[in-house]
Amino acid sequence: MSMKVPAEYFKGIEYVQISSLPKEQKQFICESISYKSIITILKEKELITNCLQYQHYLSWYENVYRGKVQKLKNQDLAAA
């Protein structure tokens, strides 16, 4: 299971960029979050797309990702 990624900061905004998440998290998060949660940040004339506020990432990590990974592990154990 991938660990939580640290937050990035810009002008008081704590965020993660979905495209920089570990592959497994990136796949699962795209399947389970609302597109309304995705934000774009203008950082010194550069648009940083596909960002998620860090508080939303942490909530997703604890409530969705960990449960999904545990379920997959249990399925693997049952199949063995």
Side-chain angles (χ1 to χ4, degrees), residues 13 15 35-41 48-53:
I13 302 169
Y15 69 95
Y35 288 103
K36 293 178 183 178
S37 299
I38 298 172
I39 61 173
T40 299
I41 298 170
I48 303 172
T49 59
N50 72 21
C51 297
L52 191 61
Q53 287 187 9

Side-chain angles (χ1 to χ4, degrees), residues 21-33 60 64-70 72:
L21 293 174
K23 183 180 178 182
E24 186 178 67
Q25 287 186 28
K26 191 182 331 179
Q27 176 187 349
F28 288 156
I29 206 165
C30 289
E31 295 170 357
S32 59
I33 63 164
W60 170 84
V64 178
Y65 180 68
R66 291 178 99 188
K68 191 164 195 156
V69 169
Q70 188 59 45
L72 292 173

Side-chain angles (χ1 to χ4, degrees), residues 42-60:
L42 178 60
K43 186 175 182 180
E44 299 165 16
K45 298 184 181 181
E46 178 186 357
L47 281 178
I48 303 172
T49 59
N50 72 21
C51 297
L52 191 61
Q53 287 187 9
Y54 198 66
Q55 65 186 20
H56 293 151
Y57 167 74
L58 289 178
S59 177
W60 170 84

